[in-house]
Amino acid sequence: MENKIKKEILSLSTNLGESALDSILSDGIFKDIPVVGSLISLGKLTYSISDYFLLTRIIHFINGLDLKTQDEIDKFKRKYFKDKDYNKIGSKILLAIEKADDQKKLKWLAKCFRHYFDRKITRSNFLRLTTIITNAFVEDVEKLKVFDEREEITSENDIIETYILDQLFSLGLLETHGFDAGDISGVNSGNIYALNEFGKIVKDKILE
């Protein structure tokens, strides 16, 4: 049974072998988080269904980090442990992983995490984006790409549903730029929406 579970777990990793995964799991990002450190070394898997699902989510997250070699893993770990709040960051990520209800969210969380440690986004943006991704509806977030066509979109328009714009605004990815009465027939009227700072990061760095 243990070997079967181990094979299933290893098959989820698109880039890394057993030793590389263990390097991240048992002596890396998650090592100081109690529930993880006690169960996820590949050499001593538990049989709990909840543990198994947590581990598979973590593996999907690790795949999203796009670490292909042991050297890349070691460099990433060094960056991670240099952060004075690495424990807080790790706990935040684990909570988001546990709450993620879609594999795409795990990939987005990983990209966000990687961008933070590559200094492409700030700590504040990373923490806020982690919360936004956790609470997001995946299909709505993917619609941010319509802002490649127009910088500003009114609530009554011909390319995206009004309720999706409202949801993206509530989520914290859009800002309003006033009101537009539209043309003589009322087309393209209503609140004017545009990407805010977080919406731009998600569209350009997370969804790419």
Side-chain angles (χ1 to χ4, degrees):
M1 179 68 172
E2 182 176 317
N3 285 335
K4 181 181 178 182
I5 294 175
K6 191 170 182 178
K7 286 180 181 178
E8 288 176 0
I9 292 297
L10 284 171
S11 71
L12 293 175
S13 176
T14 56
N15 298 322
L16 305 173
E18 180 176 344
S19 61
L21 282 176
D22 264 337
S23 177
I24 297 175
L25 294 171
S26 59
D27 188 32
I29 298 165
F30 304 103
K31 75 168 190 174
D32 291 322
I33 303 172
V35 66
V36 178
S38 64
L39 70 89
I40 62 179
S41 171
L42 292 175
K44 32 185 186 177
L45 291 171
T46 66
Y47 302 122
S48 162
I49 293 297
S50 61
D51 291 348
Y52 173 79
F53 282 121
L54 173 60
L55 183 51
T56 57
R57 288 182 180 205
I58 289 173
I59 298 298
H60 284 301
F61 173 83
I62 290 171
N63 286 338
L65 293 174
D66 198 29
L67 300 170
K68 295 182 176 66
T69 67
Q70 187 62 51
D71 184 56
E72 288 183 15
I73 291 170
D74 291 341
K75 286 180 180 177
F76 189 80
K77 285 163 59 177
R78 284 196 293 272
K79 285 183 182 179
Y80 175 71
F81 288 115
K82 281 182 181 178
D83 193 298
K84 60 184 177 64
D85 291 325
Y86 73 85
N87 243 324
K88 178 182 176 181
I89 297 293
S91 296
K92 176 84 171 176
I93 280 294
L94 179 63
L95 181 61
I97 288 171
E98 288 179 308
K99 294 174 69 175
D101 55 7
D102 191 291
Q103 282 189 27
K104 286 183 179 178
K105 286 188 180 181
L106 295 170
K107 182 179 179 180
W108 295 348
L109 288 166
K111 281 191 172 185
C112 192
F113 193 58
R114 184 72 186 263
H115 284 321
Y116 168 59
F117 281 101
D118 287 343
R119 301 298 183 258
K120 294 180 180 178
I121 61 174
T122 66
R123 174 197 299 269
S124 175
N125 284 354
F126 161 72
L127 293 172
R128 188 175 294 273
L129 285 166
T130 298
T131 298
I132 287 173
I133 291 169
T134 301
N135 295 326
F137 184 63
V138 166
E139 286 76 7
D140 287 352
V141 174
E142 290 177 323
K143 291 291 183 71
L144 287 175
K145 285 297 184 180
V146 301
F147 285 93
D148 284 333
E149 301 178 36
R150 302 177 192 170
E151 289 188 11
E152 296 183 336
I153 301 176
T154 56
S155 51
E156 299 297 330
N157 68 84
D158 56 345
I159 60 175
I160 183 173
E161 295 88 342
T162 302
Y163 73 88
I164 293 179
L165 289 171
D166 292 339
Q167 286 296 317
L168 293 172
F169 176 75
S170 298
L171 195 59
L173 295 171
L174 302 181
E175 60 190 21
T176 56
H177 288 180
F179 184 87
D180 192 325
D183 61 23
I184 194 168
S185 62
V187 175
N188 290 323
S189 62
N191 293 322
I192 303 169
Y193 289 106
L195 295 172
N196 63 14
E197 179 183 7
F198 306 107
K200 289 175 183 176
I201 293 172
V202 171
K203 182 180 76 70
D204 297 333
K205 298 183 183 295
I206 307 301
L207 295 183
E208 62 184 357

